[in-house]
Amino acid sequence: MTTGTEARLERIGTDGSYVIVPMDHGITMGAVQGLKDIESTIDGVTRGGADAVLTQKGIAPRVHDNKNGKGYIVHLNGSTTIGPDEQDKRLTGTVEEAIRVGADAVSFHINVGSNYEPDQTSQLAEITAEADRFGIPVLAMAYARGPGVDSEDPESLGHAVRLAEEVGADLVKTGYSGDADSFQHVIESTRLPVVIAGGSRGTDRETLEMVRGATDAGGAGISMGRSIFQHEDPEAIATAVGGIVHDDLSVDEALTRSGLALEV
């Protein structure tokens, strides 16, 4: 890892832990709740507890004035929910383009176990090589997804995060296996920092219990989109998540700090 890569990793995290809010879903799902006025959402989550936000390159002009000095990641592939196959993520940008729009890091999505895994693996390897030349960190979003693949199976998730390390990523995001004990295998499968995805929204307590479980297993934080940017109060839920990831709060303590209801 180059000095530049290490320096830029610090811009998207806090002392080796990460609260990242992806908002690249406009290309996938359209201008859903939380993304129409993305400026206000970015302002709220970065005031709350997010270390970095993530978008596609075209949204960059709407990011910088609203991120309150926090980090910025540009995502480099995508697909749509109305297309023929959402797992078929195609390139949408390059490392050099990301640098030109002010990114501190880049990210790339790979579906390990899918029919598109071979091409996506090759593309991720090319991106990590290009990023290394520029000293730009790469967040690999490595999911266990495909025919006959259990997306919460710790063995499959462990394979996905190890693939990310093998091809040169600096940070890896994957799904959560459901509990801290099983997720420990995923953490032990790589020396990269591992952050978890959020998936579809649950209750605030369910979201925070997932974050707490992942960190208890040794996870480095979260890269959580819809559970944060579609929340009724994105700033509050970002504060709660940040309290667990950065300050080791319990779920109840995080709910109390953020002013969210202590639901059961």
Side-chain angles (χ1 to χ4, degrees):
M1 185 181 297
T2 68
T3 301
T5 302
E6 290 179 348
R8 292 180 178 95
L9 272 175
E10 292 178 2
R11 297 178 195 168
I12 64 169
T14 300
D15 298 327
S17 61
Y18 302 88
V19 175
I20 299 167
V21 182
M23 287 180 268
D24 59 313
H25 301 65
I27 200 170
T28 309
M29 305 165 63
V32 295
Q33 175 190 338
L35 297 184
K36 288 183 179 179
D37 181 8
I38 196 170
E39 292 88 347
S40 294
T41 305
I42 290 168
D43 177 66
V45 300
T46 53
R47 286 183 185 278
D51 296 301
V53 296
L54 180 156
T55 75
Q56 293 280 344
K57 64 186 181 185
I59 301 296
R62 304 175 68 177
V63 172
H64 292 291
D65 289 343
N66 301 289
K67 65 184 180 66
N68 296 301
K70 299 301 181 68
Y72 179 44
I73 304 169
V74 168
H75 196 53
L76 299 182
N77 65 343
S79 61
T80 74
T81 55
I82 59 175
D85 191 339
E86 189 180 347
Q87 293 191 29
D88 185 10
K89 303 287 185 181
R90 300 295 180 98
L91 284 170
T92 56
T94 67
V95 173
E96 187 173 353
E97 287 176 322
I99 293 169
R100 286 205 301 268
V101 299
D104 301 304
V106 297
S107 60
F108 185 86
H109 182 129
I110 177 171
N111 291 314
V112 180
S114 75
N115 295 329
Y116 308 105
E117 175 200 295
D119 287 341
Q120 290 171 351
T121 301
S122 296
Q123 290 165 355
L124 177 57
E126 291 170 0
I127 285 166
T128 61
E130 183 185 9
D132 185 63
R133 290 196 298 272
F134 289 107
I136 296 292
V138 178
L139 164 62
M141 299 185 180
Y143 293 89
R145 291 179 182 171
V149 178
D150 180 352
S151 63
E152 296 183 354
D153 172 54
E155 294 291 334
S156 299
L157 294 171
H159 193 165
V161 299
R162 185 52 177 259
L163 183 152
E165 180 181 9
E166 296 277 348
V167 298
D170 303 291
L171 179 66
V172 60
K173 168 183 177 176
T174 197
Y176 185 53
S177 57
D179 60 79
D181 289 341
S182 63
F183 199 65
Q184 189 169 356
H185 168 75
V186 183
I187 300 298
E188 293 171 349
S189 297
T190 178
R191 290 191 178 181
L192 296 181
V194 178
V195 298
I196 61 163
S200 300
R201 277 197 62 191
T203 66
D204 294 342
R205 181 170 291 277
E206 288 170 340
T207 296
L208 297 178
E209 285 176 345
M210 179 172 62
V211 177
R212 183 70 264 175
T215 55
D216 286 344
I222 62 97
S223 174
M224 188 174 289
R226 287 170 288 173
S227 294
I228 294 180
F229 74 71
Q230 289 195 315
H231 196 276
E232 292 80 6
D233 190 339
E235 181 173 348
I237 191 65
T239 298
V241 170
I244 293 174
V245 173
H246 295 319
D247 299 323
D248 200 29
L249 299 185
S250 69
V251 170
D252 283 351
E253 288 170 336
L255 287 166
T256 299
R257 174 185 286 188
S258 63
L260 296 171
L262 287 169
E263 59 203 5
V264 295

